[in-house]
Amino acid sequence: MEAAGADLGYRGEQLGLPESGPGSIARPGRRLGALAVDWSLCVLIAYGLITDGYGQATGNWALLIFLVLSILTVGTLGFTPGKRLFGLRVVQVGTGQVHPGRALLRSVLLCLAVPALIWDRDGRGLHDRLAGTVEIRL
């Protein structure tokens, strides 16, 4: 892109984050891995404790459990079990912490899926942009 006259810099530079290492923007592979761990936990909980079998109801319950898990853990600790396992944390841009209200908005938008599939040049999903948050490496 530099040859075209546009120096875009590295991912997270506009947010004041380092290029690599702790505090840098989380890469998509880690984010997807954390999401897979969290979703698997939620499906297991729904399957084992609520529906006693796999079907449409299990998926719906898993989504509700995922929403509650995300709101409670991101809103208080800044990470879900999967994010912690992969060394990630959600923080508010500029402050380094996350407000429970922002975690609520981010989690609801994440469960809608479409906002999470639209990314900006920093690799943040629309759900993060609208909530004013960013997912960083620990």
Side-chain angles (χ1 to χ4, degrees):
M1 285 304 212
E2 192 171 284
D7 181 17
L8 298 176
Y10 63 85
R11 293 171 3 131
E13 184 175 19
Q14 294 178 335
L15 303 172
L17 300 174
E19 186 172 0
S20 61
S24 65
I25 296 245
R27 299 284 181 201
R30 285 182 179 218
R31 294 173 71 173
L32 290 173
L35 181 64
V37 167
D38 291 335
W39 182 253
S40 297
L41 286 173
C42 294
V43 168
L44 283 173
I45 292 168
Y47 179 85
L49 298 178
I50 300 171
T51 63
D52 197 33
Y54 191 80
Q56 181 63 39
T58 303
N60 292 339
W61 278 107
L63 184 61
L64 179 63
I65 293 167
F66 180 83
L67 176 65
V68 171
L69 172 79
S70 184
I71 291 169
L72 293 178
T73 58
V74 172
T76 57
L77 303 171
F79 50 80
T80 61
K83 288 183 193 333
R84 182 68 180 128
L85 184 66
F86 279 82
L88 306 176
R89 184 164 188 226
V90 176
V91 296
Q92 183 176 334
V93 175
T95 67
Q97 298 178 347
V98 67
H99 185 273
R102 290 184 187 272
L104 172 68
L105 175 61
R106 181 186 190 277
S107 299
V108 169
L109 291 171
L110 181 60
C111 287
L112 294 176
V114 173
L117 298 174
I118 301 170
W119 292 16
D120 66 8
R121 69 170 234 45
D122 288 320
R124 290 193 314 159
L126 185 58
H127 64 297
D128 275 322
R129 286 189 57 101
L130 293 174
T133 57
V134 63
E135 199 165 346
I136 60 170
R137 291 180 52 195
L138 288 176

